[in-house]
């Protein structure tokens, strides 16, 4: 019976992962977060041990539980582009500095560290598909603070690899645009404060125009959260040590769409739902620049497709949810929240 420590258990990945663990295994979950709104009834599950806390403050609790648990998932990070541009130091302090002691504790106590890298580490890589073992990691100039997230995560990957050379049992996983219910808050009206699917969804619910940054030509390979969690469960299980010392892209290369295509797809689907159809009619697609939307320090990636060969072969995994089903699942999940999201217009 594994003991799994999830720091950031109330986050997007954290709460979906906890739900899957509690429903399908006999593992114990030890979770820390500053909020609980996504956890719902899980908070009272006999195998969920929740502590309300902050990794930057409750350091003794964290170290004690790293020592106590078998698998460590430090999922606490800032991952919204507007923050990279406006508050780069906050990104470095949380994503790198606050996570470094946790990595060191995992090495000290001989635990399996499952660390969330990011598709962003590849930066502006020119490869048609990003290979975790071969692709070059390319960041923009220093005066584009957007790259501090990519850079901080890449440095952490390199530090973890270094600890691996000294005996740390680790797995790095790189999510490629995982989406699903609970990704961000659709009740957040401010542009740039959440990730693209949630942002567009909030605009559709409220009948607001959707801004396409630099025309919306940039593409992303979107992955349904359940597919991502499937892979993550196999990494945590780590049968015969297959995932130890590995880097895995977890994404769906088939679901590669431009942001403009995504907006059209969402508006077409919204028209099929009585809850969304009326407000969706009011939505216009408008174009803006990345400078106006995010700030002068932004720079974008035009294509980001994962190579998942080793993930599929070694973990016996494959993504199965296409874009149409992914979007429908998200639209279904938010039907009950429409009234609250609309109220933000008042």
């Amino acid at each position: 019976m594994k003991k799994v420590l999830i720091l950031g258990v109330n986050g997007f990945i954290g709460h979906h992962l906890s739900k899957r663990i509690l429903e399908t295994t006999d593992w114990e979950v030890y979770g820390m977060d500053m909020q609980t709104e996504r956890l719902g009834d899980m908070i009272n599950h006999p195998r969920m041990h929740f502590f309300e806390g902050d990794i930057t403050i409750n350091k003794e609790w964290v170290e004690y539980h790293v020592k106590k648990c078998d698998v460590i998932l430090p999922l606490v990070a800032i991952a919204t582009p507007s923050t990279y541009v406006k508050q780069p130091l906050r990104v470095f302090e949380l994503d790198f500095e606050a996570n470094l002691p946790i990595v060191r504790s995992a090495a000290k106590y001989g635990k399996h560290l499952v660390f969330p890298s990011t598709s962003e580490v590849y930066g502006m890589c020119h490869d048609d598909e990003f290979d975790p073992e071969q692709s070059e990691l390319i960041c923009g100039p220093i005066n584009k603070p957007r790259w501090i997230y990519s850079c901080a995560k890449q440095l952490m990957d390199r530090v973890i690899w270094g600890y691996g050379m000294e005996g740390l049992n680790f797995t790095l996983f790189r999510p490629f645009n995982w989406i699903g219910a609970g990704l961000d808050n659709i009740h957040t009206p401010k542009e740039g404060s959440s990730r693209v699917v949630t942002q567009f969804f909030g605009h559709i619910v409220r009948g607001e125009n959707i801004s396409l940054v630099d025309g919306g030509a940039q593409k992303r390979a979107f992955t349904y959260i359940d597919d991502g969690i499937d892979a993550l469960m196999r990494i945590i299980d780590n049968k015969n040590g297959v995932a130890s010392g590995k880097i895995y892209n977890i994404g769906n290369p088939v679901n590669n769409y431009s942001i403009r295509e995504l907006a059209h797809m969402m508006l077409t689907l919204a028209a099929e739902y009585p809850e969304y159809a009326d407000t969706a009619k009011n939505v216009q697609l408008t174009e803006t620049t990345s400078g106006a939307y995010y700030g002068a320090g932004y720079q974008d990636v035009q294509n980001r497709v994962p190579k998942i060969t080793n993930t599929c072969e070694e973990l016996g995994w494959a993504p199965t949810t296409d874009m149409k089903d992914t979007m429908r699942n998200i639209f279904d999940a938010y039907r009950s929240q429409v009234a609250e999201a609309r109220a933000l217009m008042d």
Side-chain angles (χ1 to χ4, degrees), residues 66-314:
V66 170
K67 187 177 180 180
K68 176 175 180 160
C69 294
D70 305 300
V71 185
I72 316 303
L73 289 104
L75 303 180
V76 178
I78 292 169
T80 45
S82 63
T83 313
Y84 313 159
V85 174
K86 295 182 175 72
Q87 297 176 291
L89 293 180
R90 267 191 70 209
V91 176
F92 174 72
E93 287 159 3
L94 185 63
D95 295 14
F96 184 83
E97 288 187 309
N99 277 283
L100 185 57
I102 301 163
V103 171
R104 288 179 165 153
S105 290
K108 178 180 175 181
Y109 296 114
K111 304 303 180 174
H112 182 200
L113 177 71
V114 178
F115 198 86
S117 177
T118 170
S119 58
E120 291 253 345
V121 296
Y122 296 104
M124 294 185 290
C125 179
H126 303 302
D127 295 352
D128 291 334
E129 53 177 14
F130 296 169
D131 184 328
E133 294 184 3
Q134 301 293 332
S135 289
E136 294 181 346
L137 313 181
I138 304 171
C139 288
I142 302 301
N143 63 8
K144 301 290 185 187
R146 180 255 196 280
W147 295 110
I148 198 158
Y149 175 69
S150 169
C151 211
K153 283 286 197 176
Q154 183 194 145
L155 182 57
M156 187 61 88
D157 285 3
R158 295 189 185 279
V159 168
I160 290 169
W161 188 273
Y163 275 110
M165 292 167 67
E166 298 182 0
L168 171 65
N169 178 15
F170 74 90
T171 309
L172 297 172
F173 70 97
R174 293 179 177 158
F176 275 70
N177 290 83
W178 291 12
I179 57 174
L183 174 57
D184 293 296
N185 191 339
I186 64 164
H187 309 144
T188 306
K190 185 170 165 43
E191 293 191 331
S193 59
S194 57
R195 284 157 286 195
V196 65
V197 170
T198 328
Q199 192 78 61
F200 287 4
F201 199 92
H203 292 324
I204 289 168
V205 167
R206 293 186 293 272
E208 300 164 351
N209 290 344
I210 287 175
S211 297
L212 296 177
V213 175
D214 296 336
Q218 60 276 40
K219 288 187 161 187
R220 295 291 182 268
F222 295 96
T223 312
Y224 187 50
I225 182 65
D226 286 6
D227 287 341
I229 296 298
D230 284 344
L232 206 43
M233 290 294 288
R234 292 164 196 248
I235 289 170
I236 295 168
D237 190 33
N238 199 18
K239 197 171 182 181
N240 301 320
V242 66
S244 294
K246 305 289 179 57
I247 305 174
Y248 294 119
N249 288 336
I250 305 179
N252 191 337
V254 175
N255 290 349
N256 192 36
Y257 292 93
S258 73
I259 303 303
R260 181 180 283 277
E261 287 170 331
L262 174 70
H264 283 296
M265 200 183 303
M266 291 180 74
L267 285 168
T268 301
L269 189 56
E272 298 177 18
Y273 285 80
E275 295 91 342
Y276 309 125
D278 288 345
T279 50
K281 290 174 190 165
N282 300 324
V283 178
Q284 302 288 320
L285 299 183
T286 62
E287 295 196 13
T288 185
T289 64
S290 56
Y293 193 85
Y294 289 114
Y298 190 73
Q299 196 169 19
D300 214 340
V301 182
Q302 292 309 303
N303 211 23
R304 191 189 282 166
V305 180
K307 183 176 183 180
I308 57 172
T309 308
N310 68 323
T311 317
C312 297
E313 290 176 354
E314 294 174 16

Side-chain angles (χ1 to χ4, degrees), residues 11-72:
F12 176 51
I13 295 175
H15 86 282
H16 279 286
L17 177 60
S18 298
K19 186 169 186 286
R20 183 73 65 87
I21 288 173
L22 296 174
E23 286 177 353
T24 65
T25 73
D26 63 355
W27 304 345
E28 303 269 336
V29 176
Y30 292 82
M32 178 200 271
D33 212 308
M34 294 163 68
Q35 285 94 28
T36 60
E37 79 279 355
R38 288 185 176 107
L39 295 175
D41 292 340
M42 278 191 283
I43 206 96
N44 301 314
H45 194 285
R47 284 184 285 114
M48 166 64 85
H49 312 279
F50 176 78
F51 177 77
E52 185 176 318
D54 181 333
I55 64 166
T56 65
I57 297 168
N58 303 99
K59 295 176 183 177
E60 289 180 359
W61 187 96
V62 173
E63 181 166 3
Y64 173 79
H65 283 81
V66 170
K67 187 177 180 180
K68 176 175 180 160
C69 294
D70 305 300
V71 185
I72 316 303

Side-chain angles (χ1 to χ4, degrees), residues 306-327:
K307 183 176 183 180
I308 57 172
T309 308
N310 68 323
T311 317
C312 297
E313 290 176 354
E314 294 174 16
L315 299 180
W317 169 85
T320 59
T321 316
D322 66 18
M323 196 63 176
K324 189 176 179 184
D325 288 339
T326 295
M327 295 312 305

